[in-house]
Amino acid sequence: MESWSVDEVCNWLVQRNLGELVPKFREEEVSGAALLALNDRMVQQLVKKIGHQAVLMDLINKYQQQNNGLESFTYSCEITPPKSPEANSGTMGIQVFSPFSPTEQTGYISPTEKYDGGLIDRRVLKQKKNMKHVFARCETVKWTNSYVLPEFPYDVQCILEERKCPDHSMRIRIIEFLQADMTKYLEGSLYPNSQQYNVVVNALLQAYPFLDEDGNGFEEIVYLEGHDAEMDEHIVWFKQEYMKTERNWEEIDKRMNKTLEMRRKMISNKAPLKEILRLFPFLRCPYELFREFQLLTHMDIYKKTVEILEIYSGNILTLYSVRNNPINVLLRENLKQHTEEDILKYMKMTATCLLLPAVFGDDSSLFTAVNEEVKVLTPVLEVKNPFSVNTCEFALYIEKEKLAQLDDCTMALAALLAAFHVFGIQYPKRIHNTFHFLESLILEMKSPQSLPKKVKRKLEELECLNI
């Protein structure tokens, strides 16, 4: 963690449901080293909510304790206490050995025991035993019957340590947290089998026996097991089909329909995006992204986006507020070089797409990155050479990773809006006017009373220009 960059720290926060802290941490340039150096006063200045302060400090303290334990263990294993004068024979009493080699039992030696020809203090053996769970958690994604419980979220851990009776929702949360942890061991499976569930539940009840008392049972475990074999089969099929150049899109659609409920549940439970895309890789394809949006809203987002850009393109480009915008200036320069009607229309629609944040006074960096590196975690478009017919490129990025390559500005704009809806991501505050405007038109809101006043005024202004 000490060597983490600011971006890696921000990703770490997002993975631990502390995404609200990302803007402040980025503004203050909190790297991994700075994170570990934070004290209570600094945390209070960085983080406003007491709950977030407690969670953050708990995570930092646990990391430091674990790291200190590992360092102490390694040091103790490498340097043994000086031997007796008879055994020392003029040496420094330093013996290097492998602490994980099989024990060679040669009889009682007090206060040390022999290990691969070297002597090791009994306290080191005890420390090794205490550190067993740490190394078990470091073993990568291989399922064994000696399952080790993960670190629970802060509020769950508090209840467990205080031996409080968890209510129904808390029990479900514990179960779902364990299920999410188990998927790391199962090579793409969404559901562990019954035997694996039993191993995990037994590990939980051994650590917290009071959970097995009357009224605290975990009978709810069964509802998570439903149709595990069928779901696993879909996941494996998706992975294999995604690698093919010729894909069976009809079958893909059917299987995406069958797995929709589980996918939506994962997204609503804030499962990591990488995990969702690993299990459902076809969400990287614009066609399936648009189709998922249609399943949720009953609207054809690509068709509606084309209509919006065609209807409002001329009006937006003539607004006084964007007349001298660099995008508009660049558009006028490129229009002089072409006469073909299709090319002119394409350029105007591209400019309209890029100008939308400026129309509503929003932050364009949260909407597009034109000829520059993507710097935000929320969905954003990367645009290269927007007015070059032969070299223009559009791509959708989420969490600074490319999700999909797109054909043109219309597909790009539709994919950007769909990504927020499909993956359950909130609009950033500094770009919400632009997205509320698009959303009101795509979802055909007849009485958009919930729209911000600025959006309603601009919408009325554009409508008047159409009359």
Side-chain angles (χ1 to χ4, degrees), residues 188-191 231-232 234-239 242 252 255-267 271-285 288-289 292 403 422-423:
S189 169
L190 274 177
Y191 294 100
M231 189 63 65
D232 284 348
H234 290 311
I235 298 303
V236 172
W237 189 89
F238 282 141
K239 184 176 181 180
Y242 189 72
I252 291 169
R255 290 175 181 263
M256 289 293 281
N257 284 349
K258 291 180 179 180
T259 56
L260 177 65
E261 183 178 352
M262 173 51 62
R263 194 160 55 251
R264 300 320 304 170
K265 183 177 180 181
M266 288 183 67
I267 292 172
L273 179 64
K274 288 183 180 179
E275 182 69 9
I276 295 169
L277 294 176
R278 184 176 69 86
L279 300 177
F280 305 101
F282 285 102
L283 287 179
R284 294 178 177 275
C285 303
E288 286 299 332
L289 192 62
E292 189 96 347
L403 184 76
V422 169
F423 297 114

Side-chain angles (χ1 to χ4, degrees), residues 6-16 22 26 274 377 399-400:
V6 175
D7 290 337
E8 289 172 322
V9 170
C10 292
N11 289 335
W12 179 79
L13 291 172
V14 171
Q15 292 169 6
R16 282 151 182 79
V22 167
R26 194 176 295 281
K274 288 183 180 179
L377 294 172
E399 296 181 358
K400 292 189 178 181

Side-chain angles (χ1 to χ4, degrees), residues 135-309:
F135 287 99
R137 291 303 302 170
C138 294
E139 289 291 329
T140 54
V141 297
K142 207 169 186 179
W143 177 263
T144 69
N145 287 337
S146 56
Y147 176 79
V148 181
L149 292 174
E151 286 190 8
F152 288 102
Y154 181 76
D155 58 333
V156 175
Q157 193 64 45
C158 287
I159 288 178
L160 293 176
E161 290 179 356
E162 294 174 8
R163 300 178 60 83
K164 290 183 177 179
C165 174
D167 59 18
H168 177 79
S169 62
M170 181 59 71
R171 291 199 300 273
I172 296 301
R173 188 170 176 214
I174 292 172
I175 291 168
E176 291 181 344
F177 185 83
L178 289 174
Q179 179 184 345
D181 182 69
M182 292 165 72
T183 60
K184 297 183 298 186
Y185 297 84
L186 305 178
E187 300 181 351
S189 169
L190 274 177
Y191 294 100
N193 58 39
S194 298
Q195 181 181 0
Q196 290 164 335
Y197 267 114
N198 290 336
V199 169
V200 173
V201 172
N202 286 336
L204 179 67
L205 297 181
Q206 286 179 14
Y208 306 102
F210 70 93
L211 292 176
D212 202 26
E213 297 172 1
D214 292 340
N216 288 343
F218 277 72
E219 298 83 358
E220 296 89 346
I221 200 81
V222 296
Y223 93 93
L224 291 170
E225 290 192 56
H227 308 95
D228 53 319
E230 180 184 358
M231 189 63 65
D232 284 348
E233 192 273 328
H234 290 311
I235 298 303
V236 172
W237 189 89
F238 282 141
K239 184 176 181 180
Q240 294 172 346
E241 191 71 11
Y242 189 72
M243 301 302 294
K244 298 179 181 179
T245 53
E246 296 292 331
R247 296 164 177 168
N248 185 345
W249 288 104
E250 183 177 353
E251 183 65 18
I252 291 169
D253 290 348
K254 290 180 181 178
R255 290 175 181 263
M256 289 293 281
N257 284 349
K258 291 180 179 180
T259 56
L260 177 65
E261 183 178 352
M262 173 51 62
R263 194 160 55 251
R264 300 320 304 170
K265 183 177 180 181
M266 288 183 67
I267 292 172
S268 66
N269 287 339
K270 307 298 181 184
L273 179 64
K274 288 183 180 179
E275 182 69 9
I276 295 169
L277 294 176
R278 184 176 69 86
L279 300 177
F280 305 101
F282 285 102
L283 287 179
R284 294 178 177 275
C285 303
Y287 165 75
E288 286 299 332
L289 192 62
F290 297 159
R291 190 172 177 277
E292 189 96 347
F293 182 91
Q294 190 164 12
L295 290 173
L296 298 174
T297 65
H298 307 291
M299 287 290 178
D300 186 335
I301 190 171
Y302 180 75
K303 180 181 177 181
K304 295 297 295 183
T305 303
V306 172
E307 293 176 0
I308 291 169
L309 290 180

